[in-house]
Amino acid sequence: MADTLSEAALAYHRQPRPGKLEVVATKPLGTQRDLALAYSPGVAAACRAIVDDPDEAATVTARQNLVGVITNGTAVLGLGAIGPLASKPVMEGKAVLFKKFAGIDVFDIELDALDPDKLIEIVAALEPTFGAINLEDIKAPECFEVERRLRERMSIPVFHDDQHGTAIIVNAAIYNALRLLGKKVEEVKVVCSGAGAAALACLDLLVSQGARRENIWVSDIEGVVYEGREVLMDPYKAPYAQDTPHRRLDDIIEGADIFLGLSAPGVLKPEMVARMAADPLILALANPVPEIMPEEARAVRPDAIIATGRSDYPNQVNNVLCFPFIFRGALDVAATTINEEMKLACVKAIADLAQVEASEVVVKAYGGETPGFGRDYLIPRPFDPRLILKIAPAVARAAMESGVARRPIEDFEAYRQTLSEFVFRSGLLMKPVFEKAKQDPKRLFFAEGEAPRVLRAVQILVDEGLALPVLCGRPRVVEKRIVECGLRLRIGQDFELVNPLDDPRYNDYWRQYHALLEREGVTPDRARTVVRTDATVIGALAVLRGDADALICGVEGQYRTHLTHIEQIIGRAPGVHDLSALSLVITRSGTFFIADTYVSENPAVEELVEMTVLAAEAVQRLGIPPKIALLSHSNFGSHHDAEATKMRQAVCILHDSYPDLEVEGEMHADAALSEEIRANVFPNSKLKGSANLLIMPRLDAANIAFNLLKVAGEGLPVGPLLIGTNRPAHIVTPSVSARGVVNVSALAVVEAQGRAGPEGALYEGLSFEGAFTGAGGD
């Protein structure tokens, strides 16, 4: 197994190109003018701005988002003093974590500098380059001195993660364990095995939390740290020396509430654990083999709460829970240091997040596990996207309140929104939609109310006040799933539950369904069965009857099946001939709407025109001016086959009948996205800039383009949105995430808010009659 992991790791580091990092330009460099702006002579303006005001470096360079991860390779992971060159893969890995979890850029710097004085001089000289310094894998006790002196000399944060990152996570675990057990930090007895950098930082921060030094006992390779000991003592260890005759770990473990191990495998014996206090907390963090294996500890103390540094046991103490986000908060306020107040704010933010239900991202990353706060879930998992949303603002605020922020945040709500946009790329697009939905939440009927993804989405909708959920599902199943997902939802209080097996409206529903479809072969018996068993039918009837304002379905089952029910029951809006599916994909290069991705296999000219107008109205509802391109293999008349001709005819009709729409075509996809390419072929285009609404000639083309952008372009999908219905109804796909359900739900609420007329038509005033006469072009 170890050999297999090693081989996989080497392949990971070697392919498709060596290493884990690259430097990517953030500005275009494709023209002579770009070159003049990026370098000489334009760059001089940026240099002069910094000369006039050094703080301008944060506005014209990447410095304020750049961290130096620096080591001399003297204490690398569990590998020891392997030297700076061999430590480079670890430092690159640290850089990847900074970027992945907090969007922070990193230069990893491995220094051949064993002498602490030399190391300090080199790092201090790098201050103009970086917004902060992360010291890494420097052996104790030199690491204490290096960090202390650098903090004194430098006006940017200097943070030794091996010390303080570990300390923060450990203290978050202790904070929550004591909260869970009802113990007080100032009363508990703490026994620590190990007195290195991480162990002492953990104890120092625990004292900042309120622990008493007289209750803290330390043992290291030489035994108990006691007053008068001279061997392996230093000024950092001395404050924890006890006036005691005890000399061994076994002597001091009696009655301990907390064991903190940052030492060596197997040093905590089962018989020692048996003598600890009731409900002991054991943090056995030696890696890869802890001070005691969890199963050994539980064998003698079933009441023990156990944390390790391993990912295959609960309560993993992992520094990635902390360091990206504490740096994010510190950088964003241009903090001069990371102080105790900021570290404690980080501790409490992490601890509080553990008490909230696990996110869908965490569940997916850990194979479907959904732990809830308790003995096996004291601290969040590293992949929780909410870490940055909780920790960075808490750290930034603590920096401001403690007086070390040089650029205080004025609007924390706007700051949180910026962080949210990093976590959820749909954040910027959806923000106005969410705000509008909150103003007047509508009743959303969720057909698959028993599905975990739907329940997770409903929890967010309830927490954010975005909708009034109505779920279809069996009460016992829904209750069980809520518990399994660790959610806080309450049936009848947070949402209405429609039990398909026992609802007082059943007779009214099946009779109405029969009345709608009896001429299509639906008998009364069939109607009774369908309305008892098909949740989408129940939801569509609820929306039609006014018992709900919008329908969300499609998490399970086939798109076409759901579509058939919606067409039969809810139907099309007045004046609309065909329904269409509009999909949205958010890429790094822009946001693109694509139609029709799911419904019309080969739309005719009239369907294309109607689809374009309805899609434009949906895009406009998001507050985005639609810029429309009808795509083809033909580029402004370069081909004259039937496929090209229908797109050309549709454009002519749109120009004649809807002159206010910014629409052009038929054209190639590159011409749609590049004004320069388009101008070379068709300089008189009505479309300016890049198109954001792409109308495809066939379902094949639309679906292929959408999925290519989603995967190859690392795009975030939203939707699809069903347009043209008489009442709001949307069919998501089985691959949709809980966040995707939230996004579509918010759009459905806003759509329901905009219903017009007594019958609730969504497209009142749109008319396509007569639009198709006199079509020009060929």
Side-chain angles (χ1 to χ4, degrees):
M1 182 175 177
D3 290 343
T4 302
L5 181 61
S6 297
E7 291 168 5
L10 287 173
Y12 176 86
H13 282 77
R14 287 170 175 160
Q15 300 167 1
R17 54 187 294 183
K20 300 187 285 283
L21 295 175
E22 65 177 349
V23 176
V24 178
T26 61
K27 303 294 190 296
L29 195 64
T31 67
Q32 181 64 34
R33 179 164 176 77
D34 291 341
L35 182 60
L37 294 172
Y39 201 53
S40 181
V43 72
C47 295
R48 284 193 294 269
I50 298 172
V51 171
D52 294 339
D53 180 2
D55 285 344
E56 284 298 310
T59 71
V60 297
T61 76
R63 180 177 185 260
Q64 204 54 46
N65 194 52
L66 187 61
V67 168
V69 172
I70 301 177
T71 188
N72 63 1
T74 53
V76 180
L77 291 174
L79 303 174
I82 61 175
L85 182 59
S87 74
K88 190 171 181 63
V90 178
M91 301 309 118
E92 283 191 359
K94 194 74 177 259
V96 170
L97 297 177
F98 266 110
K99 188 67 174 180
K100 166 69 176 177
F101 290 110
I104 295 172
D105 296 313
V106 165
F107 288 156
D108 64 290
I109 299 177
E110 296 75 30
L111 297 175
D112 187 4
L114 297 180
D115 177 23
D117 291 333
K118 181 180 179 181
L119 180 62
I120 289 166
E121 290 301 320
I122 295 171
V123 176
L126 292 171
E127 183 166 347
T129 301
F130 297 109
I133 299 293
N134 183 103
L135 299 175
E136 191 76 14
D137 293 349
I138 300 170
K139 70 175 182 176
E142 286 94 333
C143 61
F144 299 116
E145 186 71 9
V146 169
E147 185 192 43
R148 182 185 65 80
R149 288 168 57 186
L150 286 173
R151 287 177 57 144
E152 291 172 353
R153 288 181 58 172
M154 303 178 78
S155 59
I156 59 175
V158 178
F159 185 86
H160 186 211
D161 183 52
D162 298 321
Q163 293 181 57
H164 308 299
T166 303
I168 287 168
I169 310 307
V170 164
N171 274 266
I174 292 174
Y175 184 88
N176 267 350
L178 297 183
R179 192 188 312 195
L180 185 68
L181 298 172
K183 296 183 179 182
K184 296 181 179 180
V185 68
E186 62 271 17
E187 296 176 356
V188 293
K189 177 180 177 180
V190 180
V191 172
C192 179
S193 175
L200 294 177
C202 289
L203 297 178
D204 289 345
L205 195 57
L206 188 58
V207 170
S208 295
Q209 273 205 70
R212 295 175 179 168
R213 287 184 185 270
E214 58 266 30
N215 292 339
I216 298 174
W217 298 73
V218 178
S219 175
D220 63 9
I221 195 170
E222 288 293 325
V224 172
V225 175
Y226 60 90
E227 290 183 2
R229 196 180 101 173
E230 296 181 358
V231 180
L232 282 183
M233 290 296 291
D234 58 60
Y236 306 98
K237 196 183 301 184
Y240 295 101
Q242 293 273 15
D243 182 8
T244 178
H246 297 314
R247 296 294 182 263
R248 300 177 305 147
L249 176 63
D250 187 42
D251 297 331
I252 60 176
I253 198 68
E254 185 78 34
D257 296 281
I258 299 171
F259 171 82
L260 172 60
L262 287 146
S263 52
V267 299
L268 182 65
K269 306 302 180 184
E271 54 269 24
M272 298 182 191
V273 175
R275 292 160 45 216
M276 293 180 69
D279 296 308
L281 172 62
I282 299 171
L283 298 128
L285 306 181
N287 242 334
V289 181
E291 285 78 2
I292 187 169
M293 295 301 291
E295 49 268 27
E296 290 182 283
R298 285 210 175 90
V300 294
R301 291 302 296 269
D303 61 337
I305 299 176
I306 305 169
T308 69
R310 295 171 50 141
S311 60
D312 54 344
Y313 288 100
N315 295 323
Q316 183 195 15
V317 173
N318 190 325
N319 286 14
V320 78
L321 281 168
C322 159
F323 70 80
F325 316 115
I326 197 168
F327 272 94
R328 181 74 278 159
L331 290 170
D332 290 340
V333 294
T336 57
T337 187
I338 294 175
N339 56 27
E340 289 298 296
E341 291 87 348
M342 295 160 74
K343 288 185 276 186
L344 284 174
C346 190
V347 167
K348 292 178 180 176
I350 292 171
D352 288 344
L353 182 56
Q355 299 206 30
V356 182
E357 64 277 352
S359 77
E360 181 192 32
V361 176
V362 173
V363 174
K364 189 178 296 184
Y366 290 91
E369 298 177 17
T370 55
F373 176 67
R375 290 171 173 265
D376 288 336
Y377 191 67
L378 294 176
I379 45 181
R381 294 285 179 84
F383 283 95
D384 196 320
R386 299 165 299 183
L387 284 163
I388 190 172
L389 303 178
K390 298 294 184 183
I391 297 173
V395 169
R397 190 179 292 279
M400 291 165 56
E401 292 175 351
S402 60
V404 298
R406 296 173 61 234
R407 194 173 60 246
I409 292 170
E410 295 181 1
D411 185 343
F412 263 88
E413 187 54 41
Y415 177 55
R416 289 189 183 92
Q417 179 59 34
T418 301
L419 296 174
S420 180
E421 289 162 15
F422 169 76
V423 177
F424 307 110
R425 280 188 284 158
S426 60
L428 182 61
L429 176 74
M430 295 302 298
K431 183 175 184 289
V433 178
F434 285 174
E435 289 177 349
K436 189 171 183 182
K438 290 178 184 179
Q439 293 172 8
D440 183 19
K442 296 296 182 181
R443 297 165 300 168
L444 295 191
F445 191 102
F446 293 91
E448 294 91 2
E450 298 175 358
R453 276 173 294 167
V454 170
L455 290 169
R456 293 183 188 281
V458 168
Q459 182 72 73
I460 296 171
L461 293 170
V462 170
D463 289 345
E464 298 292 327
L466 295 171
L468 305 174
V470 180
L471 275 62
C472 186
R474 296 161 292 177
R476 286 187 179 179
V477 176
V478 172
E479 287 176 348
K480 181 182 177 184
R481 297 278 165 79
I482 289 172
V483 172
E484 290 174 346
C485 293
L487 303 176
R488 294 165 281 110
L489 294 171
R490 298 161 298 175
I491 296 175
Q493 297 182 55
D494 296 316
F495 64 92
E496 178 186 343
L497 184 64
V498 173
N499 181 359
L501 304 179
D502 183 22
D503 190 279
R505 297 164 291 190
Y506 170 70
N507 286 329
D508 293 335
Y509 273 41
W510 79 255
R511 288 191 178 99
Q512 184 155 9
Y513 180 67
H514 176 252
L516 288 169
L517 296 174
E518 64 177 328
R519 291 188 179 276
E520 295 186 29
V522 174
T523 64
D525 285 344
R526 177 62 180 162
R528 292 187 189 95
T529 299
V530 170
V531 174
R532 185 73 81 190
T533 58
D534 197 306
T536 298
V537 169
I538 298 170
L541 288 166
V543 171
L544 181 67
R545 293 169 56 85
D547 294 335
D549 300 307
L551 168 65
I552 307 292
C553 61
V555 173
E556 298 169 356
Q558 294 188 348
Y559 191 96
R560 287 281 168 183
T561 302
H562 295 288
L563 180 64
T564 298
H565 292 321
I566 289 171
E567 285 190 299
Q568 290 175 336
I569 298 168
I570 293 177
R572 306 183 189 98
V576 172
H577 300 85
D578 294 286
L579 302 182
S580 305
L582 178 66
S583 291
L584 164 62
V585 60
I586 302 169
T587 71
R588 299 190 186 280
S589 58
T591 297
F592 303 101
F593 297 85
I594 303 174
D596 173 1
T597 47
Y598 284 94
V599 179
S600 303
E601 293 185 9
N602 185 17
V605 173
E606 294 83 358
E607 292 173 299
L608 286 166
V609 171
E610 182 178 77
M611 179 196 308
T612 302
V613 176
L614 294 176
E617 194 273 345
V619 173
Q620 187 71 54
R621 196 184 303 124
L622 284 169
I624 300 174
K627 302 169 79 66
I628 311 162
L630 272 70
L631 301 188
S632 173
H633 67 286
S634 174
N635 206 27
F636 297 106
S638 63
H639 289 78
H640 298 279
D641 54 73
E643 289 287 288
T645 298
K646 76 171 182 179
M647 303 302 284
R648 194 174 309 138
Q649 288 177 335
V651 171
C652 290
I653 295 170
L654 289 164
H655 283 173
D656 290 343
S657 301
Y658 303 94
D660 292 336
L661 284 181
E662 187 177 347
V663 57
E664 196 54 87
E666 84 290 4
M667 70 179 84
H668 288 170
D670 58 352
L673 303 184
S674 169
E675 187 170 29
E676 183 179 358
I677 293 174
R678 188 166 62 249
N680 289 333
V681 180
F682 194 76
N684 296 314
S685 171
K686 189 175 179 181
L687 173 65
K688 304 301 179 185
S690 174
N692 56 22
L693 173 53
L694 309 176
I695 306 298
M696 299 291 183
R698 282 177 174 266
L699 185 148
D700 265 357
N703 198 275
I704 290 169
F706 170 68
N707 284 296
L708 276 174
L709 277 174
K710 185 172 67 174
V711 177
E714 297 182 359
L716 175 72
V718 178
L721 307 177
L722 191 60
I723 54 179
T725 55
N726 192 40
R727 305 282 178 88
H730 297 294
I731 309 167
V732 298
T733 61
S735 63
V736 71
S737 65
R739 191 72 194 184
V741 174
V742 171
N743 287 336
V744 172
S745 298
L747 289 165
V749 169
V750 172
E751 192 176 0
Q753 290 171 348
R755 286 189 302 170
E759 298 303 318
L762 295 170
Y763 303 98
E764 185 183 55
L766 287 181
S767 175
F768 303 99
E769 301 301 331
F772 308 118
T773 59
D778 60 1

